[in-house]
Amino acid sequence: MIAFADIREALTPKQSPQLYDVPLLYCMLMLIGVGFVMVTSASMPTAERLFDNPYHIIIRHGMFLVMGFFLFWIATNVPMDWWKRSNAYLLLLGLGLLVLVLIVGREVNGAKRWIPIGPVGFQVAEAAKLYFFSYIAGYLVRKREEVQENLKGFFKPLAVFGVYAFLILMQPDLGTVVVLFVTTVGLLFLAGAKLWQFFGLILTGIAAVVVLIIAEPYRMARVTGFLEPWEDPFGKGYQLVQSLMAYSQGGWFGQGLGNSVQKLQYLPEAHNDFIFAVIGEELGFFGVFSILIVLAVFVFRALLIGQKALQCGKEYEGYFAFAIGIWFAFQTMVNVGASAGILPTKGLTLPFISYGGSSLLIMTIATGVLLRIDFETKMATKQATSRGGKR
């Protein structure tokens, strides 16, 4: 089992190899630290207005952090065999939660995505992502040859994705569906699917997203606001215009921590989906660049863990690590791209930094899984080396 004593030991400089990926752990801690500071800075005006307490949101964020570290510790101690045996049950649990939220979920701004648990709401789509990726990893281990050789094996996981996508779109939550789709396509490609299947699936996915956007007026309004935000700066393009103004005021070194103007009731969701714009305004280009570097290192370490697991013969663990890496990379790209006007606005959090309890909890669990995969891979490699030496 991995415990915090092991973490302290791993962080202590020594000659022997670390039991798990220390750079990944450092990246998570740095991102969580930056997130705590920036959520505090960005949320105070909103918390003062809504709750008459400037610290209300950050107190809730701190509570989620405590729970997140506890779940992280549990995830590092759960053997990957448990995930491998349970992936089908977790998939069914995810389906059950997605159905349940449509029945008893709490509606916020026209979206029914949260199941109320006491004073907080849990966004079930976040957990569904992790469960679905675990299932896809298990499927690729069982049916990799079938995926590579015929269409039946290729389309089976897409049928499961279709059920998940339908339930999530009923909430509605197109952003999560896109994340699931991109990660699934990436894993199928890594598993050896034929190129024509890969590109055909991408084109089909793009066409489906276009249809879904055209079918819903609010999604079309977001795209219109994205393409020409300055034509209606106080209507459809308001949020993007305010976000771009925040970036422009940041310059190279920023206005200084706590000195953002746009967070003062100008930029909606300043502590959530658009927190990166506040970071740009307060910390400037160098702050933004530094955070992106840390996120890139995190994703690189996740993919490296997956590669090492595959080389060690741990296919399920390898594909699961790849899924988590692709998920974090794509979600970062969409969040940053939306706030910078590169992509249409989507309600996806910035990993470990945005305010959002459900996202924070699931992402800390995912990081714990990555560390567990790395730990088991290194232990297996060490045992194999020891046996080879004895011979």
Side-chain angles (χ1 to χ4, degrees):
M1 294 176 64
I2 303 176
F4 284 122
D6 299 323
I7 293 178
R8 289 196 300 271
E9 181 182 353
L11 296 178
T12 304
K14 55 185 180 181
Q15 297 299 319
S16 59
Q18 307 293 354
L19 290 178
Y20 48 89
D21 202 294
V22 175
L24 184 79
L25 178 62
Y26 279 147
C27 287
M28 184 192 77
L29 294 176
M30 283 190 286
L31 292 170
I32 285 176
V34 170
F36 186 83
V37 172
M38 294 312 304
V39 168
T40 302
S41 175
S43 68
M44 292 181 75
T46 301
E48 178 71 32
R49 176 173 60 88
L50 295 178
F51 306 104
D52 199 28
N53 177 7
Y55 303 105
H56 178 87
I57 291 176
I58 195 57
I59 289 172
R60 289 171 63 91
H61 188 69
M63 292 170 57
F64 283 117
L65 275 179
V66 172
M67 289 188 286
F69 280 121
F70 177 70
L71 292 174
F72 169 78
W73 174 75
I74 291 176
T76 59
N77 284 282
V78 174
M80 292 309 299
D81 279 343
W82 180 86
W83 288 93
K84 193 183 302 184
R85 292 194 308 269
S86 306
N87 67 78
Y89 301 108
L90 292 174
L91 180 74
L92 293 175
L93 175 61
L95 286 172
L97 290 173
L98 291 174
V99 172
L100 183 63
V101 75
L102 297 176
I103 300 172
V104 302
R106 184 178 66 194
E107 186 170 331
V108 179
N109 296 328
K112 189 177 284 189
R113 303 175 186 172
W114 295 267
I115 292 179
I117 304 175
V120 300
F122 181 71
Q123 190 172 353
V124 299
E126 295 294 333
K129 289 180 195 174
L130 189 63
Y131 299 159
F132 181 77
F133 297 150
S134 173
Y135 164 76
I136 291 295
Y139 176 84
L140 292 177
V141 173
R142 297 189 301 270
K143 304 289 185 178
R144 187 175 62 175
E145 292 184 0
E146 194 173 328
V147 169
Q148 295 172 346
E149 294 173 1
N150 60 66
L151 286 174
K152 183 180 178 182
F154 183 78
F155 282 112
K156 277 183 181 178
L158 296 180
V160 178
F161 162 78
V163 176
Y164 259 60
F166 174 76
L167 292 172
I168 294 172
L169 287 172
M170 292 290 289
Q171 298 181 9
D173 185 359
L174 180 59
T176 296
V177 171
V178 174
V179 171
L180 288 174
F181 176 77
V182 169
T183 306
T184 302
V185 170
L187 285 180
L188 288 171
F189 177 74
L190 291 171
K194 293 180 175 62
L195 280 178
W196 71 267
Q197 296 173 334
F198 176 71
F199 287 113
L201 186 58
I202 290 178
L203 293 175
T204 303
I206 292 173
V209 169
V210 170
V211 171
L212 289 169
I213 289 173
I214 295 174
E216 288 288 348
Y218 80 92
R219 290 179 186 144
M220 197 64 199
R222 285 182 176 180
V223 173
T224 304
F226 156 70
L227 293 174
E228 297 292 344
W230 297 100
E231 286 191 359
D232 189 10
F234 298 102
K236 296 176 182 178
Y238 178 78
Q239 193 171 30
L240 179 54
V241 166
Q242 299 302 316
S243 180
L244 294 175
M245 289 174 64
Y247 280 114
S248 67
Q249 291 168 5
W252 288 98
F253 301 102
Q255 299 295 317
L257 188 61
N259 292 329
S260 168
V261 174
Q262 296 307 114
K263 71 182 182 183
L264 302 176
Q265 310 303 319
Y266 295 106
L267 177 62
E269 302 295 337
H271 60 290
N272 198 341
D273 298 343
F274 278 75
I275 195 169
F276 208 62
V278 177
I279 293 173
E281 185 178 4
E282 294 190 353
L283 304 183
F285 171 81
F286 285 106
V288 164
F289 182 74
S290 299
I291 292 171
L292 289 177
I293 288 295
V294 176
L295 283 163
V297 171
F298 183 98
V299 170
F300 172 77
R301 300 305 300 186
L303 297 177
L304 187 62
I305 288 171
Q307 182 186 36
K308 289 180 178 178
L310 288 178
Q311 291 173 347
C312 189
K314 292 180 172 291
E315 292 183 320
Y316 170 79
E317 291 83 351
Y319 288 129
F320 201 2
F322 277 136
I324 294 172
I326 296 170
W327 162 27
F328 277 57
F330 184 73
Q331 189 154 322
T332 298
M333 183 183 72
V334 171
N335 180 277
V336 174
S339 67
I342 302 171
L343 296 171
T345 302
K346 289 308 307 167
L348 293 174
T349 59
L350 187 62
F352 300 115
I353 294 178
S354 299
Y355 174 74
S358 303
S359 174
L360 183 62
L361 294 179
I362 296 301
M363 287 186 170
T364 50
I365 292 173
T367 307
V369 170
L370 286 173
L371 287 176
R372 182 72 199 190
I373 292 171
D374 188 59
F375 170 75
E376 292 190 6
T377 300
K378 288 178 177 176
M379 292 301 294
T381 304
K382 184 177 179 181
Q383 290 169 5
T385 304
S386 299
R387 288 194 296 268
K390 290 178 180 179
R391 290 174 188 170

